[in-house]
């Protein structure tokens, strides 16, 4: 039984909230109702203290140190790699590479995997991708003469699987798709994507920036070749994330960056690389942040992941029921069984104005294109406001969001 599947006590939201110091703040005289979690989540004291503890008691550079502090820090750093392995249920810790986040992880794959490709090869992404899973492939396609193809999205914000299947051909070299949309909350059927890809022996990269937070993730069950996620959305620090690469992919791919740490030997006429995963971790890593990521994973593993998912969906359902009463409001993305993200527009009001007025009532939401401009255009909007829920949010906050939005509508329309 994995840590994720172990039986845990029911969620105590009040106790969970007490672990987050920032949630005690007031904004403009109102309690902070933080609903911007899809952009970045707040941090529990356990994570904050784990990072502070590194600098207070045992900081040193990792690997190859011969003194006590270096050995202590290296041990904690590599324990965090094991935390990531366990969290994703990867077979081996050597399949886990620390990165600065999902963006760098995708860029790593694009650079290294891209060196194996030839002019005319094809990469498939989808219209719902975050720019982090678009721009690296666009740069690669332009530099190598590749064809970047776009799997379409339906009116409800779901991936068009039949169209995706029709797109895969003998020149397809990779499918890179979000596991869960940061705009609509759509949860893509990873098994179906992998099945389509395997029919042509095509590897699959899943962007798990959102799904790793909200869903139990098992990369062996998903059978994807690459999986990326970021720490700051997972109640951990910013500037840290991870790439999982299945099997011998890391052995087969050339390194992403050169420098210290990633080498075995350096001569005047040649370089040999370190064993994986260190081959892909050039330079001094984000040591305290990696340890903080491990702490965030251990903190999240205290809670039953399915109970968290049900709690977040209950919050979304409560908010959606309230939004249905607001004239002129359109929810963008209505996929079945979506994650707890609500993007919306309000007739006659710019999303930025809506977000600013909500802030007057202590409600924090995000407004803009959410780094997903192709999806915005597909859905017929230039931007949306977005409320996104997390483990520490409450029914009261969902209601406060709806009430503040009604006031914003009355003010703006």
């Amino acid at each position: 039984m994995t840590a994720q599947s172990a039986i845990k006590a029911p969620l105590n939201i009040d106790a969970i909230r007490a672990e987050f110091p920032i949630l005690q703040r007031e904004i403009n005289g109102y309690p902070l109702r933080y609903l911007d979690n899809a952009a970045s989540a707040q941090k529990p004291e356990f994570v904050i203290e784990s990072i502070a503890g590194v600098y207070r008691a045992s900081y040193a550079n990792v690997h190859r140190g011969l003194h006590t502090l270096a050995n202590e820090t290296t041990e904690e750093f590599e324990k965090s790699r094991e935390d990531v392995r366990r969290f994703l249920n990867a077979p081996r810790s050597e399949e886990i590479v620390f990165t600065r986040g999902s963006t760098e992880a995708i860029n790593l794959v694009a650079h290294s995997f891209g060196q194996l490709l030839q002019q005319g090869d094809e990469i498939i992404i989808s219209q719902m991708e975050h720019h982090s899973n678009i721009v690296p492939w666009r740069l690669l396609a332009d530099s190598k003469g590749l064809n970047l193809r776009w799997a379409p999205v339906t009116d409800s914000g779901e991936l068009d699987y039949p169209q995706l299947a029709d797109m895969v051909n003998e020149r397809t070299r990779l499918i890179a798709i979000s596991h869960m949309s940061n705009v609509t909350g759509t949860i893509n059927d990873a098994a179906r994507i992998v099945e389509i890809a395997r029919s042509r022996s095509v590897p699959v990269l899943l962007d798990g920036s959102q799904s790793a937070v909200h869903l139990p993730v098992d990369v062996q069950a998903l059978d994807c070749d690459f999986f990326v996620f970021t720490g700051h959305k997972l109640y951990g620090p910013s500037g840290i994330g991870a790439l999982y690469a299945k099997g011998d992919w890391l052995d087969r791919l050339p390194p992403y960056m050169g420098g210290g740490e990633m080498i075995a030997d350096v001569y005047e006429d040649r370089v040999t690389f370190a064993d994986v995963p260190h081959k892909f971790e050039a330079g001094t890593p984000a040591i305290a942040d990696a340890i903080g990521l491990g702490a965030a994973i251990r903190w999240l593993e205290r809670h039953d992941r399915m109970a968290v998912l049900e709690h977040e969906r209950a919050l979304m359902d409560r908010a959606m029921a309230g939004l249905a009463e607001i004239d002129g409001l359109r929810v963008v993305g209505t996929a079945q069984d979506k994650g707890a993200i609500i993007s919306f527009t309000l007739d006659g009001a710019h999303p930025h104005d809506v977000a600013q007025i909500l802030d007057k009532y202590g409600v924090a939401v995000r407004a803009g294109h959410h780094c997903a401009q192709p999806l915005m255009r597909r859905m017929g909007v230039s931007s949306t406001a977005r409320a996104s829920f997390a483990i520490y949010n409450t029914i009261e906050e969902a209601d406060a969001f709806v009430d503040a939005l009604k006031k914003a509508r009355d003010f703006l329309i």
Side-chain angles (χ1 to χ4, degrees):
M1 180 177 288
T2 67
Q4 290 182 359
S5 62
I7 296 175
K8 299 177 176 65
L11 296 181
N12 183 332
I13 302 303
D14 289 340
I16 290 171
R17 289 179 62 83
E19 297 185 64
F20 289 79
I22 200 169
L23 298 183
Q24 312 311 310
R25 279 199 62 178
E26 289 191 349
I27 303 294
N28 299 316
Y30 292 88
L32 169 63
R33 285 93 172 214
Y34 186 80
L35 303 181
D36 192 21
N37 297 287
S40 198
Q42 300 300 339
K43 323 304 173 191
E45 193 69 42
F46 182 73
V47 171
I48 296 169
E49 283 303 309
S50 75
I51 297 169
V54 174
Y55 292 119
R56 288 194 187 110
S58 63
Y59 176 78
N61 213 332
V62 293
H63 304 134
R64 293 191 294 278
L66 298 176
H67 57 84
T68 297
L69 293 184
N71 290 335
E72 288 177 352
T73 307
T74 297
E75 182 178 0
E76 291 304 309
F77 182 82
E78 292 301 331
K79 279 183 180 177
S80 289
R81 195 188 307 275
E82 170 58 21
D83 289 329
V84 174
R85 183 213 65 77
R86 184 184 65 254
F87 181 67
L88 299 179
N89 194 32
R92 300 177 298 122
S93 61
E94 291 81 7
E95 296 171 319
I96 304 299
V97 176
F98 282 125
T99 66
R100 289 183 296 167
S102 296
T103 299
E104 185 177 66
I106 295 170
N107 274 271
L108 187 161
V109 177
H111 174 87
S112 298
F113 184 84
Q115 292 189 46
L116 307 180
L117 305 185
Q118 303 295 323
Q119 183 175 359
D121 286 345
E122 298 182 355
I123 294 169
I124 297 175
I125 59 177
S126 83
Q127 290 178 319
M128 73 174 67
E129 301 312 309
H130 188 282
H131 293 168
S132 293
N133 199 33
I134 297 174
V135 178
W137 306 114
R138 180 76 270 162
L139 293 172
L140 177 65
D142 290 346
S143 67
K144 298 276 289 188
L146 309 179
N147 294 322
L148 186 61
R149 304 188 66 195
W150 296 77
V153 169
T154 68
D155 291 343
S156 64
E158 297 177 293
L159 186 64
D160 189 326
Y161 297 98
Q163 288 289 332
L164 172 63
D166 288 344
M167 293 171 65
V168 179
N169 59 52
E170 68 279 357
R171 296 308 302 267
T172 307
R173 296 294 177 261
L174 181 75
I175 297 175
I177 288 183
S178 294
H179 195 191
M180 175 177 166
S181 169
N182 72 303
V183 176
T184 64
T186 299
I187 298 171
N188 286 321
D189 187 341
R192 191 170 179 182
I193 294 169
V194 170
E195 181 182 9
I196 291 169
R198 293 290 180 259
S199 68
R200 292 276 189 170
S201 300
V202 173
V204 172
L205 180 147
L206 293 178
D207 179 357
S209 300
Q210 299 294 331
S211 65
V213 185
H214 301 288
L215 305 174
V217 172
D218 183 335
V219 293
Q220 293 188 68
L222 293 172
D223 197 29
C224 57
D225 297 271
F226 304 100
F227 187 94
V228 308
F229 76 98
T230 194
H232 68 95
K233 300 180 193 295
L234 195 73
Y235 312 105
S238 57
I240 190 68
L243 162 70
Y244 157 77
K246 179 182 178 182
D248 65 348
W249 272 116
L250 294 180
D251 290 316
R252 295 162 58 187
L253 297 180
Y256 174 46
M257 296 191 298
E261 285 287 312
M262 53 78 68
I263 56 89
D265 293 293
V266 176
Y267 302 92
E268 292 184 354
D269 60 347
R270 67 189 186 281
V271 174
T272 57
F273 303 124
D275 293 336
V276 297
H278 306 294
K279 167 185 170 183
F280 291 94
E281 295 179 351
T284 299
I287 297 167
D289 294 326
I291 293 171
L293 174 59
I297 288 171
R298 294 194 301 277
W299 180 85
L300 188 55
E301 286 176 337
R302 297 175 184 173
H303 310 292
D304 184 280
R305 298 302 302 279
M306 293 309 298
V308 174
L309 178 62
E310 291 171 2
H311 168 68
E312 292 170 346
R313 281 182 168 164
L315 298 175
M316 179 182 66
D317 291 344
R318 178 72 166 235
M320 289 285 283
L323 297 183
E325 301 173 357
I326 301 178
D327 292 338
L329 186 140
R330 174 196 171 194
V331 173
V332 178
T334 55
Q336 294 294 314
D337 299 321
K338 59 179 279 183
I341 295 173
I342 304 173
S343 285
F344 62 94
T345 60
L346 192 60
D347 288 348
H350 195 284
H352 290 177
D353 296 332
V354 172
Q356 287 184 313
I357 293 177
L358 293 184
D359 183 62
K360 299 296 183 183
Y361 298 99
V363 179
V365 301
R366 189 150 294 257
H369 54 64
H370 313 297
C371 292
Q373 287 179 304
L375 181 58
M376 293 289 114
R377 285 189 285 270
R378 166 63 185 88
M379 305 306 282
V381 297
S382 60
S383 61
T384 69
R386 182 185 68 190
S388 48
F389 299 91
I391 187 174
Y392 43 64
N393 291 128
T394 65
I395 290 292
E396 182 278 330
E397 290 180 320
D399 291 342
F401 159 59
V402 173
D403 290 342
L405 189 54
K406 290 177 179 178
K407 294 174 182 176
R409 184 191 182 283
D410 291 343
F411 180 82
L412 292 168
I413 306 303

